[in-house]
């Protein structure tokens, strides 16, 4: 087990091509390009053969005003013939240990049903709802708007549009510099931007799917991360996607509350999305300590702004005590294991804890969903500190 090196790239791509879907190879190639690329992968080698692979990116997740260092796992696979020997288990453990060692407070990923629960991940953040663009959708585009491919010089303006949309959510996963670079160079990705002659007013990330190898024929496009100033640029981006796809199927990912969301119901067919991003929190004490600015802001906006006291968040195997006074969470310390809620506080099992911070249910919703999630007498305070949150998360891989 070791970090990948440039000499492993060809074998990693062959392994990914063998075990992941058809987009895996160009996507992995984009992330492996450059000096830093292979070092973001760990491999299991048998002699000079790469037998299993796992990638670990460095990211950050914002929760309210707090930005948390995070790790993202992707491209997990073992070579046919090497399965069932614990290679991926060891690589996952190695990647997660590296993530913890560099200070990541959370890990996020998406993938094989159930598999990653074995490594402490829970299903938490809903995926954006996809709408299938109707072939007959009326997409009248306002005059003066031109849609074109983004060039390298456009990236700062693209990122400003993306940041402006993400600012509207409680939780957001901004792309790292590395991810933007990899996305911009991936064969399966196109950045389309709207230009009104003086400024950029819209952005969409296209994932080019089935049919792209055929050249000028129809190909499927997933339109994600639509970030636009008003509905005019959204219409321009969708009309452009229709031109680009040449009759292929177009799926557009919703962003509730953003301009694209106002357009989609009239032009697209809503599909069901039940998958979720998985989140792992190895050290709840460190996480809640880092989250003090966010918890304090919530406290300040609640009935508890002028009160003081302690709230025990027990995850049964251990716990965290939040001390609050004067509208701020002033201290966070660990608490011992306890059976039930003998010392008051709230009880949230460890596998539900990621949902308490990053999920759409909030403390009150989780109590309804899990028999071993209990809010006890400090329910109102718990609900103020841990409300349901909205999230804008889309990783390198577009599901
Ligand atoms: C899924 C995959 C990565 C597992 O690799 P592997 O080398 O067989 O994994 P390991 O031997 O390290 O298995 C680790 C544990 O997971 C279990 N496991 C393996 N595949 C599993 C699956 N699909 N679902 C649930 N558990 C699984 C193993 O039994 C083992 O547990 P155990 O030691 O308690 O028996 C591999 O089959 C693969 O490459 N699949 C295709 C690629 C893919 O779909 N990747 C997903 C990208 S997100």
């Amino acid at each position: 087990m070791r970090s990948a090196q440039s000499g492993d790239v060809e074998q990693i791509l062959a392994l990914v091509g063998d075990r992941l879907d058809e987009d895996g190879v160009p996507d992995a190639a984009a992330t492996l390009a450059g000096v830093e690329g292979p070092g973001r992968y760990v491999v299991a080698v048998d002699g000079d053969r790469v037998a299993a692979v796992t990638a670990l990116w460095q990211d950050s997740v914002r929760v309210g005003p707090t930005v948390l260092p995070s790790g993202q796992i992707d491209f997990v696979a073992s070579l046919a013939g090497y399965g069932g020997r614990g290679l991926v288990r060891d690589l996952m453990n190695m990647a997660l240990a590296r993530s913890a060692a560099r200070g990541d407070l959370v890990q996020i990923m998406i993938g094989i049903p159930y598999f990653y629960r074995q490594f402490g991940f829970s299903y938490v953040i809903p995926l954006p709802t996809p709408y299938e663009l109707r072939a007959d959708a009326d997409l009248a585009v306002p005059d003066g708007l031109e849609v074109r491919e983004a060039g390298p010089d456009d990236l700062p303006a693209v990122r400003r549009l993306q940041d402006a949309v993400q600012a509207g959510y409680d939780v957001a996963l901004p792309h790292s510099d590395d991810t933007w670079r990899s996305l911009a160079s991936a064969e399966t990705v196109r950045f389309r931007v709207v230009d009104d002659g003086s400024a950029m007013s819209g952005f969409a990330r296209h994932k080019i799917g089935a049919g792209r190898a055929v050249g000028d024929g129809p190909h499927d496009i997933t339109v994600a991360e639509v970030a636009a100033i008003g509905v005019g640029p959204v219409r321009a981006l969708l009309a452009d996607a229709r031109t680009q796809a040449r009759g292929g199927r177009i799926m557009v990912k919703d962003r509730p509350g953003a301009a694209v969301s106002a357009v989609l119901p009239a032009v697209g067919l809503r599909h069901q999305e039940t998958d979720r991003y998985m989140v792992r929190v190895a050290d709840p004490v460190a996480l809640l300590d880092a989250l003090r600015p966010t918890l304090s802001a919530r406290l300040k906006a609640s009935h508890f702004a002028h009160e003081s006291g302690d709230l025990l968040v027990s995850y049964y195997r251990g716990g965290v005590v939040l001390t609050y006074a004067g509208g701020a969470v002033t201290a966070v310390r660990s608490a011992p294991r306890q059976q039930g809620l003998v010392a008051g506080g709230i009880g949230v099992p460890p596998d539900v804890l990621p949902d308490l911070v990053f999920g759409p249910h909030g403390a009150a919703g989780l109590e309804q969903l899990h028999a071993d999630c209990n809010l006890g007498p400090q329910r109102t305070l718990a609900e103020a500190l841990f409300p349901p949150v909205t999230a804008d998360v889309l990783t390198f891989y577009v599901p």
Side-chain angles (χ1 to χ4, degrees):
M1 308 281 158
R2 58 164 171 81
S3 293
Q5 298 156 1
S6 51
D8 300 322
V9 167
E10 222 166 280
Q11 286 197 63
I12 292 174
L13 292 177
L15 170 46
V16 165
D18 192 34
R19 302 306 311 270
L20 291 157
D21 63 18
E22 62 171 286
D23 300 331
V25 175
D27 284 357
T31 65
L32 282 160
V35 189
E36 296 284 320
R40 294 188 280 154
Y41 283 69
V42 286
V43 287
V45 291
D46 180 11
D48 53 10
R49 175 182 289 179
V50 174
V53 66
T54 293
L56 169 70
W57 323 139
Q58 188 150 26
D59 271 315
S60 60
V61 181
R62 181 184 58 74
V63 182
T66 314
V67 176
L68 303 165
S70 68
Q72 194 189 128
I73 306 263
D74 208 341
F75 298 109
V76 179
S78 59
L79 208 55
Y82 282 86
R85 297 198 203 172
L87 295 185
V88 165
R89 176 192 298 286
D90 288 351
L91 286 180
M92 281 295 294
N93 288 335
M94 186 173 173
L96 293 172
R98 282 188 178 193
S99 182
R102 74 185 177 202
D104 295 344
L105 294 171
V106 55
Q107 288 89 23
I108 293 189
M109 69 177 307
I110 187 166
I112 320 168
Y114 166 75
F115 187 68
Y116 301 102
R117 282 189 196 261
Q118 300 175 112
F119 302 97
F121 283 87
S122 313
Y123 287 93
V124 174
I125 301 174
L127 261 56
T129 302
Y131 282 77
E132 184 171 355
L133 195 63
R134 291 205 318 265
D136 61 353
D138 177 15
L139 288 169
V141 177
D143 288 342
L145 294 185
E146 187 210 332
V147 182
R148 59 173 173 80
E149 191 77 27
D153 293 348
D154 292 316
L155 209 51
V158 164
R159 291 179 74 161
R160 276 196 296 277
L161 285 173
Q162 170 83 343
D163 289 349
V165 171
Q166 290 202 318
Y169 295 84
D170 302 312
V171 172
L173 182 90
H175 298 309
S176 66
D177 293 350
D178 267 341
T179 300
W180 278 114
R181 262 196 297 274
S182 301
L183 284 169
S185 68
E187 196 189 311
T188 52
V189 178
R190 302 268 184 283
F191 288 169
R192 305 294 293 176
V193 293
V194 186
D195 220 318
D196 65 7
S198 61
M200 189 187 294
S201 57
F203 162 72
R205 164 181 162 194
H206 285 194
K207 165 84 183 214
I208 319 292
R212 74 172 177 274
V214 187
D216 287 344
H219 53 260
D220 295 347
I221 296 180
T222 301
V223 182
E225 303 193 310
V226 177
I229 302 169
V231 297
V234 172
R235 289 178 170 281
L237 286 163
L238 298 184
D240 169 66
R242 193 151 65 184
T243 310
Q244 300 280 316
R246 300 188 192 92
R249 189 166 94 137
I250 300 169
M251 299 297 285
V252 187
K253 303 281 186 182
D254 192 15
R255 287 185 126 171
V260 67
S261 208
V263 177
L264 282 179
V267 300
L269 213 71
R270 191 178 198 275
H271 283 227
Q272 199 59 34
E273 178 59 83
T274 53
D275 203 358
R276 286 174 184 236
Y277 282 101
M278 304 192 83
V279 179
R280 175 180 180 273
V281 172
D283 185 346
V285 182
L287 175 72
L288 292 178
D289 192 28
L291 277 173
R292 276 198 286 139
T294 300
L295 299 174
S296 296
R298 291 175 184 164
L299 193 75
K300 207 167 185 169
S302 77
H303 297 310
F304 297 89
H306 304 291
E307 295 189 18
S308 61
D310 283 344
L311 176 69
L312 166 68
V313 180
S314 171
Y315 47 97
Y316 302 112
R317 293 182 58 96
V320 188
V321 177
L322 308 175
T323 301
Y324 60 96
V329 174
T330 53
V332 169
R333 66 177 195 279
S334 63
R337 177 167 72 196
Q338 70 172 55
Q339 188 175 322
L341 290 179
V342 283
I346 69 170
V348 183
D351 56 326
V352 176
L353 211 112
D355 205 332
L356 185 71
V357 174
F358 302 96
H361 301 106
L366 290 172
E367 190 182 40
Q368 298 295 316
L369 289 172
H370 305 281
D372 53 358
C373 187
N374 297 302
L375 301 190
Q378 281 175 292
R379 146 184 323 274
T380 320
L381 175 60
E383 288 176 14
L385 288 174
F386 301 105
V389 294
T390 59
D392 188 76
V393 172
L394 197 73
T395 51
F396 180 93
Y397 171 76
V398 175

